[in-house]
Amino acid sequence: MSFVTSPLSPLFNASKPLSLRVRACAADVPDFFSVDWLESRRKRPFGPRLSFSAEDAVRYQLDALMFNDQPRPDYGIEVMYRFAGFDPFERSTYFGPFFDLGQFERFRRIFHHSSYRVLLGHRERKILSSLNVKEDCYKQRVWIRGARPEEEETFQFTMTQRVGGSWDGYWLTESVLHDGDTFSGGVAY
């Protein structure tokens, strides 16, 4: 990143041509950013990265759910919400039926529902199958052993790779579906 030094800077020398007053360094922060901008970029919350493959994205989400309450309560669910590829202003089929998931609290409550809570703090998991449906669509079925006795469930993750816009090339979660009759008794969200 290159920029011109400020006239108030000790490096500024009006007698030098402009080309000599320009310096480049990846760690330099332009004047229009706050002083702590670079440090805040290093501390950005965990979520989708351009370098993640679809398999990586599923694995990182499951890791976050395994240690859901670290470093704070429901942090794993926050990570899932960051990977979620739904429009927060429209009803979503992320969990199967149409739900309004625009608010994080509604999303969080579904994870605490009996059929999805097995994911929170789970002890073991095994990939049952993986399939590249299309170039930009990936599905993975995962068996989960929960923290509670005899708690076992199977889930299907559907990942889509975005094309265009600010998420171009990122793998986001289109849905996480339970293999059973998930919401037969209804859910208060």
Side-chain angles (χ1 to χ4, degrees), residues 120-136:
L120 305 178
H122 64 273
R123 300 283 183 241
E124 184 182 353
R125 66 179 180 248
K126 183 170 33 171
I127 297 170
L128 300 176
S129 62
S130 299
L131 176 66
N132 284 315
V133 180
K134 295 187 292 186
E135 183 180 349
D136 62 346

Side-chain angles (χ1 to χ4, degrees), residues 99-117:
F99 285 122
D100 177 3
L101 300 174
Q103 296 175 356
F104 173 72
E105 182 59 26
R106 290 181 180 159
F107 186 81
R108 188 190 72 77
R109 280 190 210 144
I110 290 177
F111 271 100
H112 285 283
H113 183 266
S114 60
S115 55
Y116 282 87
R117 73 176 176 204

Side-chain angles (χ1 to χ4, degrees), residues 76-87:
I77 299 174
E78 286 180 39
V79 170
M80 292 293 291
Y81 196 72
R82 289 187 202 112
F83 273 95
F86 58 78
D87 181 350

Side-chain angles (χ1 to χ4, degrees), residues 43-57:
K43 291 182 180 178
R44 70 182 169 157
F46 189 76
R49 301 279 191 272
L50 195 54
S51 61
F52 291 171
S53 67
E55 297 90 351
D56 291 340

